[in-house]
Amino acid sequence: MAVPFGSRLRRGATTTAVAAVAIAALSASQAPGAVLGLPGGGAQAADAANPPGTPATGNSPYYTDLPPLNPPDKPLVSIDLPAAKGPAEAGIPATVLDAYKKAEQALAETRPDCRLPWQLLAAIGKVESGQARGGAVDAAGTSTPPILGPVLNGVGFANIPDTDNGAYDGDSTHDRAVGPMQFIPSTWATSGQDGNGDGRKDPNNIYDAALAAGYYLCAAGRDLTVDADLDKAILSYNHSQDYLNTVRSWLEYYRKGTHEVPNGSGVLPSTDTPTGTVPTTPATPPPSTPPVTGPPSSPGTPPPGKPPTTPPTTPPTKPPTTPPTKPPAKPSVVTHLEKAGTGTFTTVAGSLFPGRAAVLAEDKAGKPVAKAEITFTIAGDTDARFVPDATTVTVVTGTDGMAIAPQLKAGEKAGTFVVRATSSVAQVPGLTWTTTVTARPVDALARTGTEDLTAVAGAQFADPVAVKATAKGTAVSGVGVTASVITSADDPTAPAGGPYFKGADTTKLRTLTGLTTGPDGVLQLPALFADTDAGTFVLRLRTDNGVTLDITVKVTAAPPTDPPADPDGPSGDPSGTPSSSPSASPSTPAA
């Protein structure tokens, strides 16, 4: 069932004088965050700054409550004030506050150039849903029950036909804004994030919604420390001058100090006021002057009872002097890039690099240049990526001239590669960082096959030997391995007549070095041959970091062969016919 917002959340064509008076009071008292217009003023200035499109909320309803005129505490006070201090409005429910801060931390890593303050998310969360209805969220940060805005059917709001078949908002005819940050389904489909790491992107979860809102506000290379970019970001969320003013007011209020309160104890907006454009209050006409009675005066005759007056002499008017106009200052141009990053550009495969590439852009006078485009590129044979998954990113420098690349994450491929930084000004020399990825520390080495390694002396082993290196179950490439044939597990000496590998010149090698695992972590050894000695031997494989695997190798003796036949026969007669013994020979008769 949809959660009714009530009249406090209706966005209509009018508003009460309460909101108008509150905004006027903010302006008059110069309370924190009183922003009553963009440079140039009025709705036209807002439109010029940020052309209307489909905002994140679809111009759905929002609260118009403004913060108290007094700040919650002294400026720069700790944000960890106990709940007993400061006005109740400065309290933010614990889980909601945690979600805003975690989103700020995530954006500081992935979009450091945006410089998103968590107080901006808090301001938008206050205006959109009263901090998830005062912190009505479960332990995982999901609104209970879901927060749904009115049907966006064009009656008082934008007309947005259904885009999600009711998946998020339960309405298959029109869209409705959803969740504590009030995303319309079509925007959530492209901007949704998983802020709590549960594998889902749920607009009703404050962690997911806060992170998505952060990325949405940081779009288009905005630097939220620049007022113009901040205004554009807020207007992109909900294109309304009043919305901009209200969010800005809460932003400055929260910057003065906040404190954490338990979930469910946050302060909900108290005004029962439709939101929308604050109408201009008609000026009270001046009291009418009673008519003068009596006969009409003739022209030039003063009224009765008053002496005639001589009109003052007006001095001749001089034509206005137009002050000389200064030519507009030329924008600064980048002429020099300088490394500004710190940290180490070496890490283990699969890990984040502790250092980031950072650039200071300067003009010819050595002054920082803002709004300069710096492109960071990964070059070389590597699977490393900028977070979340990019090989090239363009970052716009801030007012301090700094551009910081997103954090870099190593892939599984060990080796060296380069990160380059180049300016959009082609003739400016670029910068490079040499980065190194070392292989994961292997913790296991296992044979991929199960066949017995047996061969007859003098023959080749039929089954090739292959092993796989892993670290916590993940295959590790580029691992150095040494293979040796040894006498036994207890005797690491090489047997003189044991199995061997063939060298390039057919020499018998019983130790191989310089072997490395492939991209899949697998190493296949060259063919193994049995030598003359029969018996049981060990093939020992050892990684560079000391992980060892022993494989049993058996050599059987060659079967005996029949001896060659005697060429002279048993008696030495080539014919093989036995000769008669002299004693057995018959006597030859005498002639």
Side-chain angles (χ1 to χ4, degrees):
M1 175 180 176
V3 178
F5 273 67
S7 59
R8 287 179 305 185
L9 284 176
R10 291 195 306 270
R11 177 174 172 80
T14 61
T15 188
T16 64
V18 175
V21 170
I23 294 176
L26 270 175
S27 177
S29 64
Q30 295 184 355
V35 180
L36 299 182
L38 293 172
Q44 290 182 349
D47 292 342
N50 193 38
T54 302
T57 64
N59 286 330
S60 58
Y62 56 84
Y63 290 114
T64 55
D65 276 12
L66 292 169
L69 296 181
N70 295 320
D73 209 318
K74 297 182 296 182
L76 305 180
V77 75
S78 168
I79 61 173
D80 297 319
L81 285 171
K85 292 186 178 181
E89 286 286 3
I92 299 178
T95 299
V96 178
L97 179 60
D98 184 58
Y100 296 149
K101 292 183 177 180
K102 280 185 166 57
E104 178 193 55
Q105 293 169 1
L107 269 294
E109 294 181 356
T110 59
R111 286 295 312 278
D113 56 309
C114 177
R115 301 168 175 86
L116 171 81
W118 67 262
Q119 291 91 341
L120 176 58
L121 297 175
I124 289 178
K126 176 70 173 179
V127 174
E128 291 293 344
S129 68
Q131 309 297 17
R133 291 197 310 267
V137 295
D138 62 18
T142 302
S143 298
T144 55
I147 301 175
L148 295 175
V151 178
L152 299 177
N153 58 4
V155 180
F157 317 112
N159 183 9
I160 304 179
D162 175 65
T163 61
D164 65 334
N165 199 27
Y168 293 120
D169 56 13
D171 191 328
S172 58
T173 304
H174 289 88
D175 273 345
R176 306 173 71 171
V178 182
M181 303 303 278
Q182 287 290 278
F183 277 93
I184 56 174
S186 59
T187 303
W188 184 260
T190 57
S191 302
Q193 298 289 328
D194 177 13
N196 59 358
D198 63 356
R200 300 176 60 238
K201 298 178 181 179
D202 182 2
N204 275 297
N205 182 276
I206 184 59
Y207 289 97
D208 295 356
L211 184 60
Y215 274 108
Y216 192 90
L217 294 165
C218 286
R222 298 187 187 107
D223 177 357
L224 300 185
T225 62
V226 177
D227 281 343
D229 281 3
L230 177 61
D231 289 343
K232 290 177 182 178
I234 298 171
L235 287 169
S236 76
Y237 210 90
N238 197 325
H239 194 76
S240 160
Q241 182 70 37
D242 295 328
Y243 183 83
L244 171 65
N245 296 344
T246 307
V247 170
R248 277 277 213 158
S249 296
W250 281 108
L251 169 60
E252 294 307 316
Y253 180 77
Y254 286 142
R255 277 175 168 165
K256 296 295 183 181
T258 70
H259 55 271
E260 179 184 299
V261 298
N263 289 345
S265 63
V267 177
L268 286 171
S270 58
T271 57
D272 193 18
T273 304
T275 64
T277 303
V278 179
T280 302
T281 305
T284 304
S288 56
T289 303
V292 178
T293 57
S297 302
S298 55
T301 304
K306 287 189 178 183
T309 59
T310 304
T313 302
T314 303
T317 304
K318 293 182 179 180
T321 302
T322 303
T325 58
K326 295 182 179 179
K330 294 182 179 179
S332 299
V333 177
V334 177
T335 61
H336 172 69
L337 298 181
E338 183 176 329
K339 288 184 180 180
T342 59
T344 304
F345 290 92
T346 299
T347 194
V348 176
S351 303
L352 292 170
F353 280 82
R356 294 191 194 181
V359 168
L360 173 63
E362 297 176 330
D363 61 15
K364 62 182 180 181
K367 295 181 179 179
V369 178
K371 291 295 183 182
E373 292 186 352
I374 306 297
T375 299
F376 296 92
T377 305
I378 298 172
D381 184 15
T382 180
D383 54 355
R385 296 291 185 269
F386 291 116
V387 176
D389 184 21
T391 56
T392 300
V393 292
T394 298
V395 179
V396 178
T397 59
T399 54
D400 56 359
M402 291 278 291
I404 305 174
Q407 199 154 17
L408 188 63
K409 184 174 182 180
E412 295 303 325
K413 184 176 293 185
T416 301
F417 62 96
V418 167
V419 173
R420 294 195 181 103
T422 55
S423 168
S424 56
V425 182
Q427 61 268 30
V428 176
L431 302 173
T432 60
W433 289 260
T434 300
T435 57
T436 303
V437 178
T438 59
R440 291 174 184 261
V442 176
D443 55 29
L445 194 63
R447 190 179 167 210
T448 61
T450 59
E451 302 83 358
D452 289 338
L453 290 177
T454 303
V456 176
Q460 177 181 333
F461 286 84
D463 298 315
V465 178
V467 294
K468 185 174 184 178
T470 57
K472 296 182 179 179
T474 300
V476 182
S477 64
V479 177
V481 179
T482 298
S484 302
V485 177
I486 59 178
T487 302
S488 68
D490 298 325
D491 183 0
T493 60
Y500 65 91
F501 302 100
K502 284 185 179 180
D505 54 355
T506 70
T507 56
K508 296 179 180 180
L509 301 176
R510 291 185 172 86
T511 297
L512 295 179
T513 59
L515 305 172
T516 56
T517 58
D520 55 357
V522 174
L523 166 65
Q524 182 163 324
L525 298 177
L528 186 64
F529 297 87
D531 206 349
T532 57
D533 293 351
T536 300
F537 305 92
V538 169
L539 173 60
R540 174 166 289 177
L541 296 108
R542 185 181 181 86
T543 66
D544 290 345
N545 68 329
V547 177
T548 301
L549 172 66
D550 286 346
I551 302 173
T552 301
V553 179
K554 295 181 180 179
V555 178
T556 60
T561 58
D562 293 335
D566 187 347
D568 294 332
S571 61
D573 183 357
S575 66
T577 303
S579 59
S580 299
S581 171
S583 61
S585 300
S587 301
T588 303

